Amino acid sequence: LAKHNLYATEITGRYISEATGLHVERVMAGEIVESDITPDHLHPNDKGYDVMFQLIMRELGIGQKVE
């Protein structure tokens, strides 16, 4: 995992970082409340899956606006 860019919400990112010692980019801190994207704090809802999709697409460089 160390060779990849890791992304997570604030709380999940903290847990992963503390457990592994890896850097985890905490995304949208303050913009999205965790309960908005994962009501049970474990399984993502549709909005949570959309957030993950957008992060994956950004990381892969797919779908970026060309000017």
Side-chain angles (χ1 to χ4, degrees):
L1 289 175
K3 67 180 181 175
H4 300 284
N5 295 324
L6 303 176
Y7 296 90
T9 58
E10 194 67 34
I11 294 171
T12 303
R14 187 180 79 228
Y15 291 154
I16 293 169
S17 183
E18 289 173 359
T20 64
L22 297 172
H23 173 74
V24 178
E25 185 71 31
R26 296 185 186 128
V27 295
M28 297 183 224
E31 293 179 24
I32 292 182
V33 178
E34 186 175 7
S35 61
D36 288 345
I37 61 172
T38 174
D40 64 0
H41 302 284
L42 179 62
H43 303 95
N45 58 19
D46 287 347
K47 188 173 181 179
Y49 280 113
D50 185 56
V51 168
M52 289 188 290
F53 174 77
Q54 295 302 322
L55 291 172
I56 291 167
M57 297 297 280
R58 183 176 75 190
E59 188 65 26
L60 294 174
I62 299 172
Q64 294 179 352
K65 188 175 184 178
V66 178
E67 296 186 34

